[in-house]
Amino acid sequence: MFTHFLQSNIAVLAAILTAGTFIGKFKLGDVAVSPSGGVLLVALLFGHWGSELPAELSTIGFAFFMYSIGFGAGPRFFQSFKKNGLRYVAVAFFIVIFACIIAILFTQLLHLPSILLAGILGGALTSTATLAAAYEIAQDPSISVAYGITYPFGLLGLLLFIQLLTRGMKIDLKREAEKFTVEDDNEEEEEEKETYQKRVYQVQNIGLVGVPLRELQLRKHSGVGIVSIRRDNKTWLATAESELQLYDHVMAEGPLSNLLELEEYIGPEIFDKDILEQRNITAKVVVTSKKSINKTIAELRLPQDFNVLLTRFRRGAVELPISPDIALERGDVLTITGDKERLAHAVVMLGHRDNKHYETDIFIFCFGLFMGIFLGNLEIPFINTSIGNAGGLLFSGILVGYFRHYGYYSGRMPLAARYILQELGLLFFLATVGVRAGHGLAAQLSQSGWQIFLTGAAVTVFTLIAAVFFCHYIMKFDWNTSFGATTGGVTSTVALKMITEKAESQYALLGYAGVYGFSNILLTLIGQVLVYVPKF
């Protein structure tokens, strides 16, 4: 019965996804295998045992994945070519080109087929987009095998060598981060992961009296922010310069788990109907106004001119620290709190309210997919070739992502919706190509398994060291930004998390967010290029 059950394509797919995502939850220390790594491993085994999946499944998954990658990078893609963004573009180019040189060099030294280059590079830099773009052109299962062999060291070796590099060079990321007075959020979380709530406390900690909120850095130490203060029957919006007095009533906003711990720091939680019922409201605002783009948070003068408080700052999928020196970019999402009327004026100055948090513009999504495939199949004049579905979908996603806030059709795609399309598309693709690659798994491992692993390890280690030095000594970034930019260049959120934990600061997120989007695009395009590298 079980054998008959697995003859169904949908049953094989469900079994691979279930087992793969389950394995992806396993952790080695603090590092999870990841769903994509688990699915590829299980798919290779199913292919080795003779299972099959229709090729159309990988085509659909590939389209969703590539379009979502472009859509996510779109809001800040063109911004990358302005001002300091060029430094991040330079870092992305350096990482990708340097990694390619190392991959090509070791491939030739160890006499490996050049068709494996994209798989080796993708695994070494944990970039599935590189694998997907190369496979779409070459349709060679050995690329997936090379990716599967190099991926584990790309994931774990990166973390190991970051530890060794910081210890060997005696780099204290925590001390480095303390040089920057940044108020930041404790968690890199998704929009809907934990609902923000408001609680009221009475100030009884004498150590807080007379100290400006800017110096207390409550958001950094507790993950919450003080929104309002009530004293002598008067209530006002808290600013960075506000000072607390004993027995003040303060309203704090933040994740519930963090608010519950605040009582020990400020004083007992109380019920104050007046401060809770004040007219202050909270709104999410998408930055689209030319009056605000490229201005720093300090230059916006939200507290001074609008009596409005900035409580959260998101750029793409990354929660950024709230620093006065950070410049706004088109598509940034700000959460602001203040009086209803004054807040409405602030919204006009910034862009527009993001009211439809959970809706996806299906028409624009489908239109973007269609245009991506159409562009990918157009022949370029004089060279009589096309950019392929990978390039077309990526380019279409970038355009829709960048212009999604123009006109009647918003192009809205919430983070959660984009995440599930991107992840499911990726898993469908990996399940299909993994099954196909599994048919020749044993032969590939016995023939050149250790050479592939060694080449991938060299790409991971040498690229990490060169990228960090390039960022710090050539681009003149501080150490936290250098490591953040490097992890963004190799698309490793796991390594970023380790860096922020070591530094006890979210400052490295600035470097990561600056490089990640553009590097993801380059790694996708380079996957197509490496397919045509000849054997020397």
Side-chain angles (χ1 to χ4, degrees):
M1 178 180 177
F2 185 72
T3 304
H4 177 72
F5 174 73
L6 288 182
Q7 289 178 352
S8 165
N9 289 332
I10 191 67
V12 171
L13 176 64
I16 291 173
L17 295 184
T18 302
T21 51
F22 177 72
I23 291 174
K25 291 181 177 293
F26 288 139
K27 290 187 175 182
L28 300 173
D30 293 329
V31 183
V33 175
S34 84
S36 58
V39 166
L40 181 60
L41 173 62
V42 173
L44 287 169
L45 293 176
F46 268 70
H48 179 65
W49 296 330
S51 296
E52 297 280 356
L53 283 175
E56 291 77 12
L57 190 62
S58 69
T59 303
I60 295 172
F62 173 84
F64 284 175
F65 175 67
M66 280 298 168
Y67 180 76
S68 299
I69 288 287
F71 187 91
R76 70 180 321 272
F77 176 76
F78 297 103
Q79 189 75 21
S80 298
F81 297 98
K82 301 177 182 179
K83 295 184 178 180
N84 290 332
L86 283 174
R87 298 167 73 195
Y88 293 130
V89 172
V91 171
F93 266 109
F94 176 83
I95 290 174
V96 174
I97 293 173
F98 186 87
C100 286
I101 292 173
I102 297 298
I104 293 172
L105 178 63
F106 272 77
T107 298
Q108 302 304 320
L109 287 176
L110 298 177
H111 306 291
L112 291 171
S114 58
I115 193 65
L116 302 179
L117 275 171
I120 292 172
L121 185 74
L125 302 185
T126 65
S127 172
T128 316
T130 307
L131 165 66
Y135 188 88
E136 192 259 339
I137 292 179
Q139 295 291 312
D140 191 321
S142 63
I143 299 176
S144 306
V145 176
Y147 178 91
I149 294 173
T150 56
Y151 179 83
F153 189 87
L155 182 67
L156 300 175
L158 180 63
L159 303 181
L160 173 63
F161 274 85
I162 286 177
Q163 295 273 19
L164 293 176
L165 193 59
T166 52
R167 291 177 184 177
M169 296 188 64
K170 297 181 180 180
I171 301 171
D172 189 337
L173 293 177
K174 181 179 179 181
R175 181 175 297 178
E176 288 282 330
E178 289 173 351
K179 297 177 182 178
F180 304 92
T181 56
V182 178
E183 287 192 35
D184 52 72
D185 294 318
N186 279 351
E187 302 286 341
E188 181 189 352
E189 59 187 7
E190 295 187 7
E191 288 181 8
E192 296 83 15
K193 184 176 181 180
E194 186 169 8
T195 304
Y196 270 35
Q197 296 190 13
K198 297 177 180 178
R199 297 290 179 97
V200 182
Y201 303 88
Q202 185 182 66
V203 178
Q204 294 188 7
N205 181 356
I206 195 169
L208 305 181
V209 174
V211 181
L213 292 181
R214 182 190 304 279
E215 296 181 16
L216 293 178
Q217 295 188 354
L218 280 177
R219 188 168 295 280
K220 177 177 181 179
H221 298 303
S222 66
V224 303
I226 291 178
V227 178
S228 301
I229 302 173
R230 181 171 173 79
R231 182 188 305 155
D232 299 329
N233 296 322
K234 295 181 180 179
T235 303
W236 63 91
L237 191 70
T239 67
E241 305 304 326
S242 297
E243 298 180 2
L244 302 180
Q245 301 296 329
L246 278 178
Y247 310 118
D248 281 351
H249 292 183
V250 298
M251 182 168 70
E253 182 183 53
L256 177 60
S257 58
N258 297 35
L259 286 169
L260 294 176
E261 300 174 359
L262 197 61
E263 192 171 19
E264 298 179 5
Y265 184 66
I266 294 181
E269 183 178 352
I270 62 173
F271 177 75
D272 187 330
K273 181 179 179 181
D274 293 326
I275 195 172
L276 287 170
E277 290 184 350
Q278 65 178 319
R279 300 199 313 168
N280 285 350
I281 61 173
T282 298
K284 285 187 176 181
V285 185
V286 182
V287 177
T288 57
S289 171
K290 293 182 180 179
K291 298 178 182 178
S292 301
I293 295 174
N294 296 325
K295 280 190 175 181
T296 65
I297 291 177
E299 291 171 341
L300 293 177
R301 294 177 54 84
L302 291 175
Q304 298 91 335
D305 296 348
F306 300 95
N307 201 28
V308 165
L309 183 67
L310 174 62
T311 60
R312 300 182 76 186
F313 183 7
R314 179 177 292 277
R315 177 168 293 162
V318 180
E319 191 89 18
L320 291 180
I322 300 175
S323 169
D325 299 327
I326 297 179
L328 300 189
E329 297 180 3
R330 174 176 293 278
D332 287 347
V333 179
L334 311 182
T335 302
I336 57 177
T337 298
D339 175 83
K340 183 177 180 180
E341 294 180 3
R342 303 294 298 277
L343 185 140
H345 292 296
V347 169
V348 172
M349 188 267 291
L350 293 169
H352 66 265
R353 293 186 67 162
D354 190 14
N355 292 319
K356 300 179 179 180
H357 303 305
Y358 308 107
E359 293 185 12
T360 297
D361 193 326
I362 298 297
F363 167 73
I364 294 296
F365 173 75
C366 295
F367 176 76
L369 283 177
F370 171 78
M371 286 304 299
I373 295 169
F374 176 75
L375 292 173
N377 286 275
L378 282 179
E379 283 196 358
I380 302 174
F382 306 114
I383 61 175
N384 297 324
T385 188
S386 66
I387 59 175
N389 287 335
L393 289 164
L394 196 65
F395 183 63
S396 175
I398 289 171
L399 291 179
V400 174
Y402 183 77
F403 292 107
R404 60 183 165 179
H405 299 301
Y406 287 89
Y408 177 76
Y409 295 103
S410 68
R412 168 74 182 171
M413 186 189 296
L415 179 62
R418 178 165 61 84
Y419 177 81
I420 195 168
L421 279 172
Q422 181 174 318
E423 290 301 301
L424 271 181
L426 173 60
L427 297 183
F428 283 4
F429 172 79
L430 289 177
T432 309
V433 300
V435 165
R436 184 179 173 189
H439 298 159
L441 176 62
Q444 187 75 62
L445 287 175
S446 60
Q447 181 181 355
S448 55
W450 73 268
Q451 294 97 324
I452 294 173
F453 178 84
L454 182 60
T455 302
V459 172
T460 301
V461 174
F462 292 138
T463 301
L464 165 66
I465 296 173
V468 171
F469 285 5
F470 179 80
C471 289
H472 187 69
Y473 294 110
I474 305 299
M475 293 290 102
K476 303 301 181 182
F477 291 141
D478 62 89
W479 283 116
N480 276 277
T481 305
S482 296
F483 278 100
T486 299
T487 57
V490 300
T491 66
S492 176
T493 52
V494 177
L496 172 69
K497 182 180 178 182
M498 186 187 74
I499 291 166
T500 56
E501 288 176 351
K502 285 174 68 68
E504 296 183 14
S505 168
Q506 302 296 303
Y507 195 75
L509 282 170
L510 297 176
Y512 179 89
V515 176
Y516 176 82
F518 199 81
S519 182
N520 224 351
I521 294 168
L522 287 180
L523 286 169
T524 302
L525 298 177
I526 206 68
Q528 295 180 298
V529 173
L530 289 176
V531 171
Y532 299 105
V533 173
K535 179 76 174 180
F536 296 120

